[in-house]
Amino acid sequence: MKVNKYITIYKDMVRQIESGQRKAEDVLPSENDLCDQYGTSRETVRKALNMLAQNGYIQKIKGKGSVILDREKMRFPVSGLISFKELSETLGKETRTTVHRLGLILPPSEAAKELGTEADEKVWEVVRSRRIDGEHIILDKDYFVKKHVPLLTKAICEDSIYEYLEGELGLSISYAQKEIVVEPAGEEDRKYLDLGGFSHMAVVKNRVFLEDTSLFQYTESRHRLDKFRFVDFARREK
Amino acid sequence: MKVNKYITIYKDMVRQIESGQRKAEDVLPSENDLCDQYGTSRETVRKALNMLAQNGYIQKIKGKGSVILDREKMRFPVSGLISFKELSETLGKETRTTVHRLGLILPPSEAAKELGTEADEKVWEVVRSRRIDGEHIILDKDYFVKKHVPLLTKAICEDSIYEYLEGELGLSISYAQKEIVVEPAGEEDRKYLDLGGFSHMAVVKNRVFLEDTSLFQYTESRHRLDKFRFVDFARREK
DNA sequence: AAGTGGTCTAGACCACAAC
DNA sequence: TTGTGGTCTAGACCACTTC
């Protein structure tokens, strides 16, 4: 198993920071020191450090060094491209997933048409609700192009679809176009969730692509307004 | 004026893509070709291409080349770290800013305490509403540490504070921690905006930092629910 | 076999910060 | 002056795609 050096260094640094071994406002060893420590060249170390900076772990300051940033308020990363299972693991809350609908459909159906598939292209539809701390507050509607995902079962949908896609099927999920809007609650929202009087939902719409740029998934993650939170880290373009 | 080669290449490619000179699904010239075209080394070309990939312009495919992605649905970039003036320019809509309050305050005040300043540290407070296509739908509440921003005037706040900070004051705005939540509308929302019956607001909270990691601004951008839209591009971590 | 992007190296020169 | 990160180079080897 071939492992990239800069990925190794990146993960090692993330571990050190998240474990508290290195604290906010500490300065990392210099790039030259890190070259010695990891037995590699400077450009490779810099690749790892740039990933840390891009993801909000450090700030590089010319002439000084790389300072570790305070990520206290950066919990709950709905940001990026992360599955619900990965999310609930970092949250450490008691969660449960219920599958309400699972089957093959032929677009055009309301949301599946976002996939822009051919008329005879079959699509998996999955509707699930998420219970967190005893309340049903998220409704996830997923649509997968069958060409890329030949089989889906209830068991897979209750566990983690992404784990199955990447692990079992070997799909390389690469990037997503993400959109957040607020919409009136629909019939299914009212049917499957504890809406608590809210008339609208915060909706995260995702169009997910594979490495070869083919669109293979459209998702709507519908959150009860009072429980919705999205956290992100952004750098200013030069 | 020293200009970085890879920034030049990046901007040139962005221009070519956004002008339609290169279209979605086109393949860029190979990295070696680009080295010749720009008279530079491959690592420098790759730095530019990686920025393009990170920002959702292209997808690099091993053995094939760099494919231009369809950014049709990527308009309205509330994402990243962008000012309202920059935003409205890319939108091309008729907008107007009204300054409702501008002055120096001493925290702790409700929102300014997010800055975590000392008790005797003065803070600028700016409250502005944004009118888009004839409707007042956004309320922006900004708080700046006076130490970093000695003077603010009504004229500056009506134009672009960021332009002033980066241009006149020479501040290097570097990164931000961003949070999106939904909150009940407040007194000021009702006072300054056309709420149209909505009881809640979509709120984008920003904590903005300078290059030296000092926190200098806290912002709440409060949007009427039906007009709120946030678009982002995300890549999956390996 | 030829061309593509992915990783890695060893060195160079620069701008900035600290002493 | 020394040490830091920022940029750039010329070359190497690899894995993958295409022909």
Side-chain angles (χ1 to χ4, degrees):
Chain A
M1 180 66 188
K2 177 64 162 47
V3 182
N4 293 335
K5 282 193 183 180
Y6 75 96
I7 301 281
T8 307
I9 299 173
Y10 170 76
K11 287 188 176 166
D12 196 35
M13 304 299 271
V14 168
R15 184 188 52 73
Q16 288 179 25
I17 294 172
E18 292 191 338
S19 73
Q21 191 175 332
R22 296 186 187 277
K23 296 181 191 66
E25 299 185 35
D26 281 0
V27 178
L28 289 184
S30 77
E31 295 181 350
N32 284 317
D33 286 352
L34 291 173
C35 292
D36 295 343
Q37 284 182 34
Y38 290 100
T40 185
S41 69
R42 196 167 149 228
E43 284 292 356
T44 300
V45 165
R46 284 176 55 73
K47 227 182 254 186
L49 293 185
N50 285 334
M51 283 180 69
L52 290 170
Q54 204 59 45
N55 293 331
Y57 286 99
I58 64 171
Q59 171 76 356
K60 309 181 79 179
I61 304 179
K62 204 185 300 190
K64 279 189 174 171
S66 298
V67 182
I68 297 178
L69 298 181
D70 187 2
R71 288 169 54 90
E72 265 316 298
K73 308 225 167 177
M74 293 289 290
R75 306 293 176 218
F76 205 100
V78 181
S79 151
L81 195 41
I82 191 169
S83 73
F84 184 78
K85 184 173 182 186
E86 291 165 331
L87 182 58
S88 60
E89 277 166 7
T90 67
L91 277 178
K93 293 200 177 182
E94 186 265 330
T95 64
R96 208 184 59 189
T97 296
T98 308
V99 180
H100 297 287
R101 201 159 69 238
L102 166 62
L104 282 170
I105 58 174
L106 276 175
S109 94
E110 189 49 35
K113 70 167 186 287
E114 294 286 337
L115 284 170
T117 47
E118 301 295 322
D120 58 346
E121 179 81 62
K122 284 186 184 166
V123 168
W124 284 103
E125 179 185 48
V126 186
V127 177
R128 296 176 289 181
S129 65
R130 316 286 198 173
R131 199 187 67 174
I132 302 177
D133 287 343
E135 282 188 300
H136 294 85
I137 50 181
I138 303 177
L139 188 72
D140 278 350
K141 303 173 75 168
D142 291 83
Y143 301 87
F144 300 91
V145 179
K146 182 164 184 294
K147 182 170 49 182
H148 295 112
V149 186
L151 180 66
L152 274 184
T153 67
K154 193 151 175 283
I156 292 169
C157 296
E158 279 167 349
D159 187 31
S160 167
I161 295 181
Y162 265 40
E163 228 170 69
Y164 169 69
L165 297 178
E166 294 189 314
E168 305 284 314
L169 294 185
L171 288 184
S172 325
I173 292 152
S174 184
Y175 62 94
Q177 289 175 352
K178 196 181 279 288
E179 179 183 0
I180 302 177
V181 291
V182 178
E183 293 181 349
E187 189 188 326
E188 288 179 319
D189 299 321
R190 277 185 280 270
K191 188 170 170 188
Y192 299 123
L193 300 182
D194 307 322
L195 280 193
F198 285 98
S199 60
H200 286 67
M201 307 290 295
V203 184
V204 182
K205 302 180 179 187
N206 263 294
R207 300 166 71 233
V208 188
F209 298 79
L210 301 176
E211 256 181 7
D212 64 357
T213 76
S214 54
L215 174 61
F216 93 107
Q217 178 192 10
Y218 172 75
T219 298
E220 280 189 18
S221 194
R222 309 172 65 85
H223 301 236
R224 199 173 80 187
L225 286 189
D226 62 327
K227 292 296 183 181
F228 177 72
R229 180 160 177 251
F230 177 92
V231 177
D232 200 9
F233 177 85
R235 287 194 173 271
R236 179 136 174 100
E237 293 264 332
K238 294 174 191 173
Chain B
M1 180 64 187
K2 178 63 163 45
V3 182
N4 292 336
K5 282 193 183 180
Y6 75 96
I7 301 281
T8 307
I9 299 174
Y10 171 76
K11 287 188 175 166
D12 196 35
M13 303 299 271
V14 168
R15 184 186 54 71
Q16 289 179 26
I17 294 172
E18 293 192 336
S19 74
Q21 191 175 333
R22 295 187 189 276
K23 297 181 190 68
E25 300 185 35
D26 281 359
V27 178
L28 289 184
S30 77
E31 296 180 350
N32 283 318
D33 286 351
L34 291 173
C35 292
D36 296 342
Q37 283 182 35
Y38 290 101
T40 185
S41 69
R42 196 167 148 229
E43 284 293 355
T44 301
V45 165
R46 285 176 55 73
K47 226 183 255 185
L49 294 185
N50 285 335
M51 284 180 68
L52 290 170
Q54 205 58 45
N55 293 330
Y57 286 99
I58 64 171
Q59 172 75 356
K60 308 181 80 179
I61 304 180
K62 204 185 300 188
K64 280 189 174 171
S66 298
V67 182
I68 297 178
L69 298 181
D70 188 2
R71 288 169 54 92
E72 265 316 298
K73 308 224 167 177
M74 293 290 290
R75 308 290 177 223
F76 206 99
V78 183
S79 151
L81 194 41
I82 190 170
S83 73
F84 184 79
K85 185 173 181 185
E86 291 165 331
L87 182 58
S88 60
E89 278 166 7
T90 67
L91 276 178
K93 292 201 177 181
E94 185 266 328
T95 64
R96 207 184 59 189
T97 296
T98 308
V99 178
H100 297 287
R101 202 160 65 241
L102 166 62
L104 282 170
I105 58 174
L106 276 175
S109 94
E110 189 50 35
K113 70 167 187 287
E114 294 286 337
L115 285 170
T117 47
E118 301 295 323
D120 59 345
E121 179 82 61
K122 283 186 183 167
V123 169
W124 285 103
E125 179 185 47
V126 186
V127 177
R128 295 176 289 180
S129 65
R130 316 286 197 172
R131 198 187 67 174
I132 301 177
D133 287 343
E135 282 187 301
H136 293 86
I137 50 181
I138 302 176
L139 188 72
D140 278 351
K141 303 172 74 166
D142 291 84
Y143 300 87
F144 299 91
V145 179
K146 180 163 184 293
K147 183 171 47 182
H148 295 113
V149 185
L151 179 67
L152 274 183
T153 67
K154 192 149 175 283
I156 294 170
C157 296
E158 279 168 348
D159 187 31
S160 168
I161 295 182
Y162 265 39
E163 228 170 69
Y164 169 69
L165 297 178
E166 294 189 314
E168 305 285 314
L169 294 185
L171 288 185
S172 325
I173 293 152
S174 183
Y175 62 95
Q177 289 176 351
K178 196 181 279 289
E179 180 183 0
I180 301 177
V181 292
V182 178
E183 293 181 350
E187 189 189 326
E188 287 179 320
D189 299 322
R190 278 185 279 269
K191 188 169 170 188
Y192 299 122
L193 300 182
D194 307 324
L195 279 193
F198 285 98
S199 60
H200 285 67
M201 307 288 296
V203 184
V204 181
K205 302 179 179 186
N206 263 295
R207 300 166 70 233
V208 188
F209 298 80
L210 301 177
E211 255 181 6
D212 65 357
T213 76
S214 55
L215 174 61
F216 93 107
Q217 178 193 12
Y218 172 75
T219 298
E220 280 189 18
S221 193
R222 308 173 67 84
H223 301 236
R224 198 173 81 188
L225 287 189
D226 62 327
K227 293 295 184 182
F228 177 71
R229 181 160 177 250
F230 177 93
V231 177
D232 199 9
F233 178 85
R235 286 195 173 273
R236 179 136 174 100
E237 293 264 329
K238 293 173 190 173

